Amino acid sequence: MACFESAFLVIGSGVAGLKAALEAAEHGTVHLVTKKQDFESNTNYAQGGIATVLDPNDSFEAHIRDTLTAGAGLCRRDSVELIVTHGPNAIRNLIENGVDFTRKDDGSLALGREGGHSFRRIVHAQDLTGREVEKSLLKRVCDHPRVAVFEHHTAIDLILDENRRCWGAWVWDKENGEADRFFASVTILCTGGCGLVYNYSTNPPIATGDGVAMAYRTGCRIANMEFIQFHPTAFYTPDSDRPFLISEAVRGEGAILRAKDGTAFMEGYHPLKDLAPRDIVARAIDNEMKNRGDDFCYLDVRHLGLDFFHKRFPNISRYCEEQGLNLDKDMIPIVPAAHYMCGGVMTDLWGAADAKGLFAAGEVSCTGVHGANRLASNSILEALVFSRRLLERAVEDGLHKETPPQVDWQWYRPPHQEKLEAVRLVNCRKTLRLLMWDYVGIVRSDARLRQARKRLSVLKDEIDSYFNAGHITEELLELRNLAQVSELIVLCALERKESRGLHYNTDYPDLSDPPKETIICKRGDGGVHIESVPIPE
């Protein structure tokens, strides 16, 4: 067992984690913990871009309005105003840091449009924006003398003292098979989302809800976990549980959704047709598939022209060609897939969670920006803005200069001599993901949710028994977190007695004007405490 100390501990290496690490390194030493060697993250797969107001015809108010509309009444306006007004500076900062965004012939930034946006405001790097941003930030992180990166390390639990002050985390060193102590004055959760809760997800294998689960176990408030965004257009591959993402920007450039018989159907679901918000599009595709008995729908790009499509979406074009499609003649087969977690660790406008010294940024957090449904390409913007703000607050409060109390913290799990059969974990994981997909997916009902809760309880007990017996592996740690996050999703979904945004319940299809509330889960002595809190005006 090793012990490491630093001023800042960053858990996660997506755009929020990398940006937070760079900001923190200006004020002290930084340890960045990441589960994989190659910095796998949701950011790396973000195709669309970053939404911000740069077009002279656009305005902050229009971007705010579009975000609030997509969020279905549950966004915090102050949070939305914050990221929107800070957007142009965030983009300029990325350019200064070497991010090479796509430009027009005159040298100005090429702005795309996506579903839910009233103007072209998507700054992008062709169709691999996330990878370009992460590449630039990653180079600076690796070159910074105050940042130490620990690969193949999985956070287990946060370290809190008796006053609920966070002092870092216990972290599993996969290569050495040990639980190490990472002491830090400031701990920043940037662990991303929980897409692997579901059987079909566009997320990478690391998206197992680690930060949400760890924060919940310490008693932090977790909010709005029922709002899981299903991306409407993932490439349909019958034998894959991780379909390739077809960017929202493809519909923004004029692609048309069609049923298998060629019928364009979005006009019957929303005035914006194919540019409707993601939740509406995902439910429309789901409905068409179920009513027609089809396994998938199509995305038609044939009318856009092959040369334009290759230039605008080279990565998507390459993938489609590898799958044997001729986009002059063939349409792209698509299905919805779990994509983004709009709830998470509840924070204030400075990214601070409930425990002193603990912050969260990016998809793991619930800042109030996304409400009941995230507007396309607001996610990286939110991560950039809040990862900078939380450092401002931590430094202003002097948290990074505080030192841990002299307590002999010890690892609290006995080593287990017997090897746990891998088949048990594989079976639990498959069962959990299928259960969530079938019972807690795009369209829900109270009966299915109650059944899911019962089955999850049994699964969770089995998984916890392995952990409590001292069986510690990366696979078990992730499974433990997946089970915990699944429970929170179900509990929040049961508590919300309405259909709103990404949460559609067939038992509550037509409520006229239900209260606008945040659903909050918090761990208590008697189990999970759930409450509904009005959204601040």
Side-chain angles (χ1 to χ4, degrees), residues 202-261:
T202 63
N203 292 180
I206 61 164
T208 52
D210 303 337
V212 170
M214 288 191 297
Y216 169 77
R217 287 193 290 264
T218 66
C220 289
R221 290 172 297 168
I222 309 297
N224 286 350
M225 288 299 292
E226 71 275 27
F227 296 125
I228 302 294
Q229 189 174 73
F230 288 80
H231 199 290
T233 54
F235 194 100
Y236 172 73
T237 307
D239 56 352
S240 174
D241 62 357
R242 187 185 166 197
F244 180 83
L245 178 65
I246 305 297
S247 171
E248 188 93 359
V250 176
R251 286 187 289 115
E253 296 294 351
I256 299 170
L257 288 161
R258 299 186 185 276
K260 283 182 74 174
D261 65 4

Side-chain angles (χ1 to χ4, degrees), residues 367-430:
T367 64
V369 165
H370 304 306
N373 183 22
R374 175 179 69 97
L375 180 64
S377 289
N378 268 352
S379 53
I380 296 181
L381 177 61
E382 180 200 30
L384 291 169
V385 171
F386 274 90
S387 59
R388 184 164 192 162
R389 279 179 66 82
L390 68 85
L391 261 302
E392 292 176 8
R393 173 49 55 89
V395 171
E396 181 182 313
D397 292 348
L399 296 176
H400 63 304
K401 295 181 179 179
E402 297 181 7
T403 56
Q406 297 300 310
V407 177
D408 187 20
W409 276 294
Q410 295 293 330
W411 176 237
Y412 53 91
R413 289 287 176 268
H416 203 287
Q417 301 303 317
E418 296 179 8
K419 185 177 180 180
L420 181 64
E421 295 173 314
V423 68
R424 299 191 192 184
L425 301 185
V426 170
N427 181 267
C428 284
R429 191 160 179 153
K430 285 183 177 179

Side-chain angles (χ1 to χ4, degrees), residues 233 246 250-251 253-259 262-264 274 297-305 309 326-334:
T233 54
I246 305 297
V250 176
R251 286 187 289 115
E253 296 294 351
I256 299 170
L257 288 161
R258 299 186 185 276
T263 303
D274 300 276
C297 289
Y298 282 118
L299 191 62
D300 188 0
V301 302
R302 295 172 296 182
H303 57 290
L304 300 180
F309 196 82
N326 179 346
L327 295 180
D328 260 341
K329 302 176 181 179
D330 299 324
M331 294 186 287
I332 303 172
I334 52 91

